[in-house]
Each structure stands twice: as C-alpha cells, then as structure tokens.
Amino acid sequence: MEHVDRCVVLVDAGYLLGAAASLLAGEPARSRITVDHTALIHGLRERAEADTQQPLLRIYWFDGAPDRVPQPEHRRLRVMPRVTVRLGALTRSDGRWAQKGVDAAMHAELTELARNRACSDVVLVTGDGDLLPGLMSAKEHGVAVHLWAVQAADGDYNQSEDLVAEADERRVLDREWITRAVRAKELTGICAPAPAPRPEIAAILSAPLPESALAASAERAADTAAGVGVVRNGSATADEAGSEDPAPVGGAKGVPTPKDLAGLRGPGPQATPHPANATLRWSSDRGWVERPGSQVGEPPETASLPTLAQLTSAEQRWADREEDITTVGGDPFEVGQVFARRWMERLPEQSHVEKLSAMYPRIPHRIDGELLRYAARFGLLAHKDDQIDEHDRYAIRAGFWREIDVRAAAERVPAGE
C-alpha cells in the first residue's frame, strides 16, 4: 500500500512556545508572550505545504493542561479547521510546572500515522530526544521526516543533536517568522508582565461599600493598629464583592471580607448589627454553598430574578453546549458576556433587567454562583500557584456587566433612531 501524498504537522507546544518566549522575552515562561493562535496555525500550514510540496492533512497540537482540562487557548485551537488538540497532564513539582505524557502521545501518533501510511511527509516541531525512536520508526515505514527548530536565543542548538542527525530535512523558524504570530509582553517591573487594563474590573473594585461593611472594616483596621489580631478564614470568598483582603490602615477604602458583608459582631462594646439582607457564602469545588450559621434570607427583589437554568429549555441547553464547544474561546471576560447574553435574551420581562442594573456591581448570589459554575466548564477558577485566581472572577463579572449594560442601552433606544 502506497503512502497518501499529503503532510502532517506534529507540534510540541511546550517546545514551540517556550523557545519563542526565550527568543523574544529572554526566558522560557509562556506567560511572557502573547500568541495569535489563528496566525500561528495559518503560518504552520503555509510553511508545511511549501516545504513538503504536499497538501496538509492535519496539524496535531500537543500540550499539557492541569488535570487535562482544556484551557482557553486549547478551546480556540481545537475548533480550527484541520487542527487536533492532544492534551497531556501538567503537574507541579518543586515549584515548577512540568508536562507529563506529551512525548508519549506524540510518539504514538507519529508511529500510527507512519504504520497506516496516512501521509508521505511528517513535520515535527519539537526538540526532545525522547521522540527519536518514533522518528526512526516513521523513516522505516517510508515517511519523510522534516524537523523544525525555533531559532535559539543564544545562537546554539535547542534540539537534541540525535534528533537533528536523524531527520531527513531540517528548517529553522527564525525571529521574523515567529514574530508574525508571537510577541513579547511589555513589563512594568522586573518580575511580572503588565496585566491588560480592564476599566470594568476597576469599576467593580472601586464600587461603594454598604455602610455596615465600611463600619466593620474601620473597626477591624483600628483593632489591627492596636495590635489586636484579626482571624480570617483563608478560603472564604465574598459572593457579592469578590475579595477577602483586609482594609488597609490609613483611611484608604478596603474591599469587604465575608465577615464584613455578613455583619458579624466584632469585639468591643460597640457591636456591628446584622444587616437584614446580609448573606455569607463560602466557595467550594462544587460551586457555592451556604456556610452553617450564616444568614440565608434573600431580599424579595433579588429572589424574584430567575436563574439561567430556569429560563433554559432542553433544546436551548443542547444549543448552548454546542456553542460552548465550537465558538466560545473561554476568555474570562467573554464567558461573562455569553452568560449575560443568554440570560437577557430569555427573560420574559424587561423589568428584571432594570432590577438587576440597580444592583450594580453586585450580582445576586444565585445568579453569581450559576455564572461562576458556568465559567468552571472552561477551566477557569482553577487553582493557579495554589491560589484561586481572583482576577478571573473579576473579569467574568465585568464581562457580565458589560453585556448587561450594552443590551439594556439598546433596549432603551426607540425603534427607528
């Protein structure tokens, strides 16, 4: 049986993006670069077809992910034409992240393609010598192997010399080619890249606090200044403020803790009363659960707001899942927008939007919990560096409010204007 005249590209994403980060940013941390995945995939396809003189069958993208849960970039990639994503595990050891199972998956795919004579040419974008047996096996089955390297930052090799020696053809993706799809992030300091500015997130963080929360924060700050320790549960999360940082001493406005929002009685003769509508909620892996002993009463104006699940039929649920898989990339801001769009489109009464808008920036806890559980489907809210990423939470809520604001404004514009 003859080989089919077409090419396949196998990409070790850890090598490609790590080497690109070294070249452009001076260190292999992928957090130091921004990647245009559409442009990158287009460039890989164009270059592979030009080098091999064969049409592309498929690009396989091999990468690691915590618990093999697809991250936003993987979700964007896997819905692109002729792209298949294969995920290995991403584990942390001695303070560093390491891929597990990626090399084995690449080896298995390469061997299977060659054995089944699915292609005449294979392009490998990798530097790991562990792939040498697979490369040799592919050659024995009559497949031409093209090995691509990323230009090394120090001018030396960043690939296994044995791998280079065994390849039929070798090409180098130089700085000019890399920068068509990858760029280094600008730094504001020595250690970390500058986060993208989000005015909506800043608005949520700077929102005015309830009087009870301000009083509790001020009292706690005074106790701290006097040497009285304040005990906080490190896993607590305020469902309507999204933070647990203590109020700074010196008059600056603090972000309320769950203790503040619940209006728990503090030490001292002057106790803070319990607000009638305060609710303390604790985060968990299963979403949002009530903490025993907290006040669970909910104001009538928020209790009357329906959840998205209540507004969604079985057919719509299937269509939503299809959209999530095929078109929603998984950016936190985008996830909040998608959830808000669906909620508003299915509301039976516009008055619900007006009620919600009056509560900005605090989302009623039933809807907020549902929003965050929806975001968890995309791998968001996962533990990063052993801490929950609060910035993602702010971005999700900010996207929600931006969509609510845009659509509410559109509803207010009279037809014909």
Side-chain angles (χ1 to χ4, degrees), residues 183-327:
R183 63 179 178 84
K185 291 181 180 177
E186 296 181 1
L187 299 182
T188 55
I190 298 177
C191 299
R198 292 282 200 192
E200 297 85 359
I201 299 174
I204 289 178
L205 287 172
S206 63
L209 306 181
E211 291 183 3
S212 59
L214 287 171
S217 293
E219 182 178 353
R220 186 158 48 86
D223 289 340
T224 302
V228 178
V230 179
V231 179
R232 295 190 296 118
N233 186 324
S235 65
T237 303
D239 82 307
E240 293 184 356
S243 179
E244 60 182 10
D245 296 334
V249 179
K253 183 181 82 68
V255 179
T257 67
K259 183 176 180 179
D260 297 332
L261 292 180
L264 297 178
R265 299 180 66 84
Q270 295 183 350
T272 304
H274 291 270
N277 62 349
T279 301
L280 179 62
R281 300 180 70 81
W282 246 244
S283 62
S284 76
D285 292 338
R286 296 184 301 278
W288 295 89
V289 295
E290 300 289 353
R291 175 177 170 84
S294 68
Q295 292 183 311
V296 297
E298 187 175 1
E301 61 270 18
T302 62
S304 65
L305 292 175
T307 63
L308 180 59
Q310 293 171 335
L311 298 169
T312 303
S313 66
E315 291 79 6
Q316 287 172 325
R317 193 174 302 114
W318 179 89
D320 289 348
R321 193 62 175 167
E322 182 74 8
E323 182 184 17
D324 290 343
I325 293 172
T326 58
T327 62

Side-chain angles (χ1 to χ4, degrees), residues 97-370:
W97 290 100
Q99 295 183 159
K100 299 293 183 182
V102 172
D103 295 336
M106 288 189 71
H107 178 278
E109 198 72 59
L110 174 59
T111 304
E112 194 70 13
L113 288 167
R115 182 184 296 117
N116 292 327
R117 300 180 180 274
C119 58
S120 58
D121 296 74
V122 168
V123 174
L124 297 178
V125 187
T126 185
D128 199 327
D130 290 345
L131 208 59
L132 182 61
L135 185 154
M136 296 174 67
S137 175
K139 290 175 62 177
E140 291 172 359
H141 283 89
V143 174
V145 180
H146 305 250
L147 182 65
W148 289 1
V150 175
Q151 179 181 336
D154 55 7
D156 201 355
Y157 281 106
N158 55 13
Q159 288 180 305
S160 160
E161 292 189 21
D162 291 335
L163 210 61
V164 172
E166 281 293 331
D168 294 306
E169 302 283 349
R170 184 173 184 267
R171 297 286 184 271
V172 175
L173 305 176
D174 59 17
R175 179 186 293 268
E176 180 182 356
W177 190 93
I178 292 293
T179 52
R180 294 175 189 172
V182 183
R183 63 179 178 84
K185 291 181 180 177
E186 296 181 1
L187 299 182
T188 55
I190 298 177
C191 299
R198 292 282 200 192
E200 297 85 359
I201 299 174
I204 289 178
L205 287 172
S206 63
L209 306 181
E211 291 183 3
S212 59
L214 287 171
S217 293
E219 182 178 353
R220 186 158 48 86
D223 289 340
T224 302
V228 178
V230 179
V231 179
R232 295 190 296 118
N233 186 324
S235 65
T237 303
D239 82 307
E240 293 184 356
S243 179
E244 60 182 10
D245 296 334
V249 179
K253 183 181 82 68
V255 179
T257 67
K259 183 176 180 179
D260 297 332
L261 292 180
L264 297 178
R265 299 180 66 84
Q270 295 183 350
T272 304
H274 291 270
N277 62 349
T279 301
L280 179 62
R281 300 180 70 81
W282 246 244
S283 62
S284 76
D285 292 338
R286 296 184 301 278
W288 295 89
V289 295
E290 300 289 353
R291 175 177 170 84
S294 68
Q295 292 183 311
V296 297
E298 187 175 1
E301 61 270 18
T302 62
S304 65
L305 292 175
T307 63
L308 180 59
Q310 293 171 335
L311 298 169
T312 303
S313 66
E315 291 79 6
Q316 287 172 325
R317 193 174 302 114
W318 179 89
D320 289 348
R321 193 62 175 167
E322 182 74 8
E323 182 184 17
D324 290 343
I325 293 172
T326 58
T327 62
V328 180
D331 173 79
F333 193 79
E334 177 193 16
V335 166
Q337 288 181 300
V338 170
F339 183 94
R341 170 175 57 79
R342 292 173 182 171
W343 187 78
M344 289 191 69
E345 286 177 348
R346 296 166 193 173
L347 282 175
E349 301 176 17
Q350 186 63 23
S351 60
H352 289 311
V353 178
E354 297 170 0
K355 289 180 183 178
L356 180 66
S357 297
M359 303 174 194
Y360 177 85
R362 294 176 178 85
I363 306 172
H365 63 77
R366 289 183 306 117
I367 297 175
D368 189 53
E370 189 180 36

